[in-house]
Each structure stands twice: as C-alpha cells, then as structure tokens.
Amino acid sequence: MSERQDAAEIVLAAATEAAALVMRVYATPFAVEYKSKDDPVTRADRESNALICQRLARAFPGVPVVAEESDPSAYAGFARADSVWFVDPLDGTREFVERNGEFAVMIGLAEHGRATVGVIAAPAWGRAFVGVVGEGAWEVAADGSRTPIRVSSRTALEGASIVVSRSRTPPRLAALVASLGAGEATVHGSSGLKGVLVATGVHDAYLQPGRAGMRWDACATDALVCAAGGAFSAADGTPIDYAAEDLVNARGLVATNARLHRAVIDALCRG
C-alpha cells in the first residue's frame, strides 16, 4: 500500500467517525446560527471540525489543516507547506438544516498545490467515497465492503447528464445547460456529493461557474473525481491552486468525466 493510500485509510476513519457524529446531531433538535446571510452553522459543523482536526493533527503532525470552522490563525502560513489538508466538516449545511440528506463530510489532501487524496463521507447515505490520484477510487458501503468507482464514458454533450447546485443556480446557468443540448439540469445539494455523482458515473458533469465556495469545498472533490478518471478545474479550465493564499474559488468549479471537459469549458467561456 502506498503512502497516499495509508493516508486515505486514516482519513476515511476520521471522516466515518465525523459522519456518525453529524448523524447524532441530525437526529435531535439543534440550533441554527448564521455566520453571515445565507451561511448557516450548527453544532454538527463545529463538533465535526474539532474531531477531524484533532485526528489529523495526531496522525500527520506538522501538516497544516485548513478547516472551515477553524480560526484562520490555526492554519496561518499554510501556503508555504508542501502538503496541506483541506476540511469541510459539514458540506451542505443548508441541506442539513432542511433535513433532506444532501450533506457530506469532506477531507482532501493537496501536495505542492494539487489535490491528491480525497475522502467524502455521505452520512445520510451510509456510504463513503475515497480517491487517490493515480491509484484509483472506490466506494465504501456501510458494512465496509468496497467497490471501485469510475466516471461515465459519454463523449458528446448532447444528452449529457449535468448536475448543478440546489441553492446557487442562476438562470443564466440553466439556460446554458439547455443550450448544450443536455436537457434540464439536475439540482443537488453539497458540492462534495455533486462531485461524487460525477465520480460514480451517475452524472456526466457538475457545473458551478462564478464564485464556488472555498478551497475546502473543492479539494476532496478534485481528488476523488480525478482518481475516478475524471477532470476537475476552475470554470475557465485552469487547475485549482491549493498553494495559493486566497482560499476563495472565485472562478467557479467544473467536474466532468474528462472526455467532456474541454467541450464544457469552451461552452462556459462562450456563455
């Protein structure tokens, strides 16, 4: 087993533990606070964040952990590190609050600015997804059994299945999807779960032009989709640079089955 696979197993255990914590909170009444307008946070976000950061600090001492609910001082200077963990302890908090099951725990590793390991646990699904770039991707069922996953093989945009954000889909994007000949887009919560739907071949592409969250919304998905044979980039086709000081995904996110990536990027740039 490679060092990256060893790391993935440690992170899978942490994500699974955090997912169980999230579901315990989900099963009870919980308070909702707002960090800013339309940006809710709950006890599940904070407790999952603390748990994952503790597990990563213990297993990977000295490696910065850039986590959504951590104080920025906790990861100051991360951009100078060769390796960095990016953590979204509860991706899809709006969906968690709405209790529709579309939320995830996301942990990604970036090395020298590129995503290499991604773990996405879907607490309400009882499943987790692991990707190690260059070595493969697999689904982990509730009973621990593992199944390799792979992106779709579609080569034409016509008839392609596209998934977009449930809460952040401007009319322009819906019109663009229709112009591609792909039909009506499917809406889904959680950036991570939309990536999972591409990595498993359920959908051919995930589109989120414009501002698309933060680096912790991207790293695990980036690694998972690429490990499953897909492609992941900003909406202008450039790779995501996880060594940049700026944590905002200002140029959007696109995940595809790789064969469609250039055509999707060209369409977005024209649109």
Side-chain angles (χ1 to χ4, degrees), residues 1-27:
M1 186 178 291
S2 71
E3 289 185 9
R4 286 179 182 170
Q5 287 180 324
D6 285 339
E9 292 300 322
I10 293 169
V11 172
L12 173 62
T16 301
E17 188 178 357
L21 181 158
V22 165
M23 288 307 290
R24 288 196 295 273
V25 176
Y26 193 60

Side-chain angles (χ1 to χ4, degrees), residues 30-266:
F30 55 83
V32 181
E33 302 171 43
Y34 285 85
K35 294 182 284 187
S36 62
K37 184 180 178 180
D38 298 326
D39 190 10
V41 64
T42 70
R43 180 163 62 91
D45 297 78
R46 294 187 175 118
E47 292 182 5
S48 175
N49 197 93
L51 185 156
I52 294 169
C53 289
Q54 289 168 3
R55 300 295 181 269
L56 293 178
R58 184 171 63 196
F60 307 98
V63 179
V65 179
V66 180
E68 180 173 10
E69 304 306 332
S70 295
D71 188 287
S73 63
Y75 50 79
F78 77 90
R80 296 189 296 273
D82 291 339
S83 299
V84 182
W85 292 104
F86 289 88
V87 175
D88 191 334
L90 180 52
D91 180 53
T93 303
R94 279 183 293 274
E95 283 68 36
F96 182 82
V97 170
E98 292 295 326
R99 296 182 182 274
N100 66 15
E102 297 176 359
F103 49 88
V105 173
M106 302 169 60
I107 307 173
L109 175 66
E111 298 176 89
H112 304 287
R114 295 290 177 261
T116 56
V117 175
V119 173
I120 299 176
W125 298 0
R127 299 151 66 192
F129 304 84
V130 181
V132 180
V133 174
E135 300 182 41
W138 58 95
E139 175 183 336
V140 183
D143 64 3
S145 59
R146 301 183 178 209
T147 306
I149 59 174
R150 188 78 182 170
V151 295
S152 72
S153 58
R154 181 177 294 277
T155 59
L157 280 176
E158 184 176 0
S161 176
I162 295 177
V163 62
V164 297
S165 172
R166 181 179 297 283
S167 58
R168 300 181 187 275
T169 302
R172 182 180 69 82
L173 179 57
L176 175 61
V177 170
S179 74
L180 298 179
E184 186 175 353
T186 298
V187 296
H188 205 282
S190 169
S191 176
L193 292 187
K194 290 189 282 288
V196 163
L197 294 174
V198 172
T200 55
V202 174
H203 291 291
D204 303 308
Y206 155 42
L207 309 183
Q208 186 62 56
R211 179 172 170 143
M214 310 291 280
R215 292 294 193 257
W216 47 70
D217 295 302
C219 188
T221 305
D222 190 339
L224 179 69
V225 170
C226 292
F232 190 95
S233 73
D236 61 4
T238 57
I240 307 298
D241 180 9
Y242 297 96
E245 292 278 359
D246 189 354
L247 291 169
V248 179
N249 300 319
R251 293 173 296 169
L253 299 175
V254 173
T256 75
N257 70 359
R259 297 182 180 191
L260 293 176
H261 204 73
R262 188 68 258 167
V264 169
I265 295 299
D266 288 346

